[in-house]
Amino acid sequence: GIQVEQSPPDLILQEGANSTLRCNFSDSVNNLQWFHQNPWGQLINLFYIPSGTKQNGRLSATTVATERYSLLYISSSQTTDSGVYFCAAYAGNNRKLIWGLGTSLAVNP
Amino acid sequence: DSGVTQTPKHLITATGQRVTLRCSPRSGDLSVYWYQQSLDQGLQFLIQYYNGEERAKGNILERFSAQQFPDLHSELNLSSLELGDSALYFCASSVGDNNYGYTFGSGTRLTVV
């Protein structure tokens, strides 16, 4: 099945800094999503982005399907951005969403 | 409040026991997904139901079973519990069955002792 790898595994930022999180996948995908899990465990869907670029406030995501990667950009980071960012994908008719192990982000004031 | 309700929030039980986790989806959502999150394996997809029917199955153990009822709430039954079943169990819901647009519940933390 598809493999999903995220980098870096851990990231520490000062408030106001920008960052880029990467998600590599082993096969062509027709479903690629980014999620955020806050320090209290709540999971939130950020983007559904099988291809192209989307923006939502200070967050944006780009998926280059032909090169099998997706990037999540966080600009002007805030302490509330802390938590774990996951990407997840599936390929073809396999409807099982496969999740990466996440990037753990800590934003310090 | 995400609109997806999971109960109970915490559960402590002994090995060999059986428990039932409950999920009420967001109003209007027809799909329910169950996930297991453990420290060493990340998030694992267990099973999806759409409007009462099983739609997709992940690496769900035979000791585990689920169903979605006519009112669209879902239950995940875990039996013959083992220490390794200790994890966070999340339910998510979505309008369609296309596996995106999830809204997650706050999870049930299961501890098997």
Side-chain angles (χ1 to χ4, degrees):
Chain A
I2 189 172
Q3 305 293 316
V4 178
E5 294 182 353
Q6 293 186 244
S7 60
D10 300 283
L11 191 56
I12 300 174
L13 300 175
Q14 285 301 120
E15 205 167 19
N18 302 328
S19 63
T20 301
L21 282 56
R22 187 177 180 103
C23 173
N24 292 332
F25 38 91
S26 60
D27 201 349
S28 300
V29 298
N30 49 19
N31 184 321
L32 189 292
Q33 303 183 55
W34 285 94
F35 298 86
H36 175 230
Q37 186 170 34
N38 69 21
W40 297 271
Q42 181 65 48
L43 276 157
I44 294 172
N45 189 294
L46 297 176
F47 293 103
Y48 168 72
I49 186 163
S51 64
T53 297
K54 288 186 179 178
Q55 181 155 7
N56 185 358
R58 296 181 296 103
L59 271 59
S60 64
T62 295
T63 297
V64 184
T66 53
E67 296 187 23
R68 301 181 183 175
Y69 72 87
S70 183
L71 302 175
L72 179 69
Y73 304 97
I74 304 174
S75 64
S76 304
S77 58
Q78 300 176 358
T79 56
T80 52
D81 296 330
S82 297
V84 182
Y85 289 82
F86 293 99
C87 69
Y90 72 71
N93 293 323
N94 184 337
R95 300 175 55 81
K96 305 170 190 177
L97 206 57
I98 304 299
W99 294 60
L101 293 180
T103 291
S104 179
L105 173 65
V107 181
N108 295 325
Chain B
D1 182 7
S2 68
V4 178
T5 304
Q6 286 189 250
T7 57
K9 292 194 184 306
H10 303 277
L11 198 49
I12 301 175
T13 190
T15 54
Q17 294 299 304
R18 173 190 167 95
V19 297
T20 298
L21 313 184
R22 182 187 169 101
C23 170
S24 293
R26 196 178 57 159
S27 178
D29 286 356
L30 298 180
S31 270
V32 169
Y33 310 80
W34 285 98
Y35 281 89
Q36 180 192 57
Q37 185 177 30
S38 54
L39 282 175
D40 57 346
Q41 291 193 338
L43 272 146
Q44 301 286 320
F45 168 68
L46 296 178
I47 198 163
Q48 177 202 357
Y49 283 87
Y50 175 75
N51 205 20
E53 294 187 2
E54 184 182 304
R55 250 318 188 250
K57 208 166 188 175
N59 298 325
I60 187 168
L61 300 172
E62 286 192 10
R63 299 184 285 109
F64 296 0
S65 65
Q67 59 183 122
Q68 186 179 30
F69 294 87
D71 67 353
L72 301 178
H73 91 272
S74 178
E75 293 180 357
L76 179 67
N77 300 298
L78 315 176
S79 61
S80 303
L81 284 167
E82 302 174 359
L83 296 177
D85 297 327
S86 295
L88 259 173
Y89 290 85
F90 284 102
C91 160
S93 70
S94 67
V95 173
D97 70 345
N98 293 329
N99 225 332
Y100 67 90
Y102 284 12
T103 300
F104 278 91
S106 56
T108 293
R109 182 171 292 281
L110 173 66
T111 303
V112 183
V113 298

